Amino acid sequence: MKIALFLSFLMPVFLLHGQDLQIAEPEFSGIVLLVRDQQTGEPLEKQKASSGSKASVGAALFGVARAKGMNFVNAARSTVRIGQGSEIRLIVRAGNNDRDPMELINIFALESEPDKDRRQIVTGTVNFNKSTAAAIDFLPFQASRYKDSSYLLEVSPLPPGEYALTLDGSRDVFNMFGVDSE
C-alpha cells in the first residue's frame, strides 16, 4: 500500500519530465534553439566572431612577455536572455546526430566589455619563447538525440554572464545567450 501511494505521488513528476518536446527540428544545420517550454524554441543570437590579439606592455616595448589571442562579437549583452537558476536546454541541428556531440559542440563563457560594447573570449596565449597555451574552459553538458538530425543539450544552471556555443566546422560562428541574476 505504501509503495502504491508513493508511486502515485511520483507519477506526475515522471509524466512531466517524460513528455516529448513538441518543438520542430530546426530547418538548417547550424541552427541552435533555446527551449522555452515544451512547444517553444527561440533561436540563439548568432554572429560571426572577429579575431584579434593583445600584447602586454613588455612585448610592445622589448619584444618579450606574452600576447593573447581573442575572438570578439558585437554588443556587450546577448539579445537572448534567461534567468539565473533556469533549466537550460538547447536543440542543436547538426548534419546528422550519429557522432559524439562532445566532438561537435563547445559551450563557453564570454567576457562582457560594456565600455567597448562587445563580448570576447581569450582563445590562447603566446609567450616570448613562442610556446602557446589554449585558454578556453568549455562547459559540460548532457546530450541526447533529438528527432532526425539534432541533439538536445541539457546544461547545468549557469551563473549570470554571457555564453556562446560553437559547432565543429564553424568555430568562428557564435550562437549566444545570456543569464541574468534574479
Side-chain angles (χ1 to χ4, degrees), residues 134-152:
I136 301 174
D137 291 323
F138 296 114
L139 300 172
F141 59 85
Q142 299 295 318
S144 58
R145 288 186 170 115
Y146 183 75
K147 303 207 176 192
D148 297 327
S149 302
S150 298
Y151 296 98
L152 176 62

Side-chain angles (χ1 to χ4, degrees), residues 23-34 41-43 90-94 146-151:
I23 300 171
E25 188 172 30
E27 185 177 359
F28 300 109
S29 181
I31 301 293
V32 182
L33 303 176
L34 174 65
E42 178 182 357
L90 304 165
I91 296 172
V92 180
R93 173 78 187 256
Y146 183 75
K147 303 207 176 192
D148 297 327
S149 302
S150 298
Y151 296 98

